[in-house]
Amino acid sequence: MTGTVETPVVELHGIEHSYRRTVALRGVALRVLPEEVVAVTGPSGCGKSTLLHVAAGIVRPQGGLVRLLGQDLDRLDETERTRLRRRRVGIVLQFGQLVPDLSVLDNVALPLLLEGHDRQAARTAAASWLERTGMDDARDATPAELSGGQSQRAAVARALVTGPAVVFADEPTGSMDTLGGELLLDLLVGAARERGASVVLVTHDNVVAARADREVRLRDGVIETESVLR
Amino acid sequence: MSTAEVVLAILRARPAHGYDVKRDHDDWFPDARPLAYGQVYATLARLERDGLAEVVETRIDGGPERTVYAVTDAGRARVRDWLSEPAPAGSAGADEIVRKAVAALRTGGDAAGFLQGQRLAHLRRMRELTDVGPGADPAARLARDHLVAHLDADLRWLDLAVARVAAADGASAKGQPTTTQEAAR
Ligand SMILES: Nc1ncnc2c1ncn2[C@@H]1O[C@H](COP(=O)(O)OP(=O)(O)OP(=O)(O)O)[C@@H](O)[C@H]1O
Ligand SMILES: [Mg+2]
């Protein structure tokens, strides 16, 4: 790869975003390169989740430019954005966000089914990811029956099942004990590194942040520091 | 041990004689071992010899003779250099990060800058320790887990310190009193 300029997987310029009364992001710029693991850290309420939602194309910012996997999100309509997200992006939200009426297995199979994969094949792939996340015993449970940590493991399985080029994870181990969190993170980061995917990891846990190649620290909606960790 | 740098930082805050140096030290670090007089005088003599501190006054007010020391330009530069270098990330530097952070705050140094640099040093060390790859021997990991847990404790303290410094800056910007040495008297 020497001599070639790598196209960033995520490129944000001048991102501004406010909720009714709160300014959450005030001019944030960020680039994530292929195969890079980036941790986004900072105090509660500093805008980490908002930044993740913007970068993943879930929230359209009021100002600035978002380029995801080389595509300018402003130029895509809702259907195109959804398709890009489904095919090439894995997302783990802060509170798991599984579909309540589906079993855990069907939740994990869902991204593949939405992409038109054969039902049996989708369920087989989902079952294998549930096994890797240590969730095979809970595959027939409904999300309401899961503990916080189990929901997070299922959410990670769902994010990885499509083999995404970039994974966005918001406090993916926030409800887990140290060892469980470490194993889930090994899986998430390991799976990404194996296939050359990038990871954007929101966390307030320093041990989690130390897994990243780079730390981006937010304060009050601006980037306070950016540090290369390796 | 960084007693010399701490004493220099104290002199940077104000010229002082040996007795005041000891008292300021014990004020700055109320939960650390008090500084012994012998150590204070030995340190001051060494600092003077090395051109980092100088005698600015010799007072004899009835009682014993008191020599007042002040920091020299070279001494100020030494404090600045000391505060611009993060302490070793690990148990060897655990007390040192507290000394540096307190000294930076007390002398009006770049406390935020120091805390950020220290955070980075800690995170990098933690990354090295946690980057073991699959199949690592669990017993070998235990020793590392212990180091990581201590680094994590330091990092939490650093994050809290950054938040406290920011909160204090916000308060003083609004004209509210902060707990500086002067306000505490
Ligand atoms: N849907 C919303 N409606 C109104 N305000 C919001 C909404 N979501 C976030 N905010 C506000 O925007 C700011 C940034 O929120 P965000 O969730 O991005 O922070 P965060 O860094 O992820 O915090 P935490 O660490 O607690 O998860 C906060 O002040 C929050 O109160
Ligand atoms: Mg959040």
Side-chain angles (χ1 to χ4, degrees), chain A residues 48-50 94 170-171 202:
Chain A
K48 303 182 295 295
S49 293
T50 306
Q94 191 165 4
D170 195 347
E171 301 279 8
V202 164

Side-chain angles (χ1 to χ4, degrees), chain A residues 41 182 193 206-207 210-213 215 217 219 224-225 227-230, chain B residues 116 119-120 123-124 126-127 130 141 145 148 152 155-156 159 162-163 166:
Chain A
T41 64
E182 181 183 289
R193 290 205 197 279
N206 293 311
V207 183
R211 303 292 295 269
D213 303 320
E215 182 199 39
R217 201 158 173 75
R219 175 175 298 277
E224 184 180 55
T225 53
S227 321
V228 175
L229 300 187
R230 62 156 193 187
Chain B
Q116 265 171 23
R119 176 181 167 77
L120 180 56
L123 269 186
R124 284 191 173 146
M126 200 185 242
R127 191 185 194 286
T130 48
R141 281 192 84 160
D145 288 343
V148 168
D152 190 30
L155 277 165
R156 285 171 201 232
D159 290 347
V162 169

